[in-house]
Each structure stands twice: as structure tokens, then as C-alpha cells.
Amino acid sequence: MYYLYDALDIIRRFMESGGNVLWLIAAITFFMWTLVFERFWYFKFTLGKDRDNAINRWEQRRERKSWNARQVRLMLLSQATDKINAHLPMIKTMVALCPLLGLLGTVTGMIEVFNIMAVTGGGDAKSMAGGVSKATIPTMAGMVAALSGVFANTYITRIAERESELLKDHLTTDH
């Protein structure tokens, strides 16, 4: 139990050394990874049911070659693709937002350094080091969050594209 308190204290000190922007980066990263895990959950447990439902609805049609049948096929593909691609634009947006917030942290940290230099005349190196810390830690955290999100988003996007193509192949018009 002591190790848990020690770990929480280390995390708290790290977050304080990065400033308020680091808390925002942490919240966005948490939300981004929540959506990533939701997509993994969907692909693992729900996608098969949605795919089977679309295939069954298509297979129950007696004819599959008319204009109306093609429109029904497009509707089924569109509905399934919307479910498959849900949350992907939001994940991409958060991936892009993380480094920008890191840069915001850099700017706010440097403003603090310049403020300390203006007040002390540049003679208080210890106070300036705190501002430099608040400038570099959010930048690092924003880049790490963005990189992890890029890898996850790429993997999820490939799965989504593959599943959409597989569904398109299953909804044939040849019989």
C-alpha cells in the first residue's frame, strides 16, 4: 500500500512540474485512449453481430440485381461502415491536438521564465528552472501522447478498412 502512495506522489509532483496544461493533455489522452479501447472492444465483441445482421438482411432479399437492390446494398454498407468508423475522426482530432497543447505548455512555461527574469533581473536560476520545466514537460507529454495515439489510430483504421472491404465482398449481387 505504501508503494501506491509513493507512486501517486511521484505522479502528482510530475503533473505539478508541468503546469496546468499538462492536466489538460492528460485528460485528452485519457479520453483518446478510452475511445481507442472502445473501438477494440467493438471490433472484438460487437462487429461480428453487426456484420452478420447486414449479411442476413441482404441474403433474405429474393432479388439482388435491380436498382432498388443496389440501393439497399449501399444502405446496408453505409450503416455498417458508419458503425465501423465511429469515433475514428475524434481519435484523429485528439492525436492532432496533443502536440498543439504541448506547444501551449511551452509558451506558458516560457512566459513564466520571462516573468521571473523581469522580476528578479535574471539572477534567480532556481526560479527560472521551474519555468523551463513547465515549458519542456508539456511538450514531451504532448508528443508522447500523440505518438501513442498515431500508432493506435493507424492500427484501428487498418482494421476498419479491412472489415468494411470484407463486408462489401460478402454482400454480393451475383445470386
Side-chain angles (χ1 to χ4, degrees), residues 12 17 24 32 42 50 53 78 82 95 111 116 119 121 124 135 146 148 169 173-174:
R12 182 191 53 78
S17 68
L24 185 58
M32 175 181 67
Y42 174 79
D50 289 344
N53 185 27
S78 178
D82 282 348
V95 166
I111 288 172
I116 291 168
V119 170
D124 191 4
S148 68
D169 291 344
T173 58
D174 60 354

Side-chain angles (χ1 to χ4, degrees), residues 12-38:
R12 182 191 53 78
R13 282 187 281 142
F14 176 75
M15 296 300 283
E16 286 175 358
S17 68
N20 292 332
V21 175
L22 193 57
W23 288 103
L24 185 58
I25 292 170
I28 288 177
T29 304
F30 177 78
F31 186 59
M32 175 181 67
W33 276 99
T34 300
L35 292 178
V36 167
F37 286 128
E38 184 276 334

Side-chain angles (χ1 to χ4, degrees), residues 17 105-106 109-110 112-113 116 125 127-138:
S17 68
T106 301
M110 292 310 294
E112 186 174 318
V113 169
I116 291 168
S127 295
M128 287 191 315
V132 170
S133 172
K134 285 186 180 177
T136 56
I137 289 176

Side-chain angles (χ1 to χ4, degrees), residues 109-166:
M110 292 310 294
I111 288 172
E112 186 174 318
V113 169
F114 293 141
N115 186 31
I116 291 168
M117 287 174 65
V119 170
T120 64
D124 191 4
K126 187 175 182 179
S127 295
M128 287 191 315
V132 170
S133 172
K134 285 186 180 177
T136 56
I137 289 176
T139 305
M140 175 200 61
M143 295 306 288
V144 168
L147 283 174
S148 68
V150 164
F151 293 131
N153 185 50
T154 301
Y155 185 71
I156 290 172
T157 301
R158 285 185 182 168
I159 293 172
E161 289 171 354
R162 183 187 71 219
E163 293 297 334
S164 294
E165 286 300 316
L166 285 173

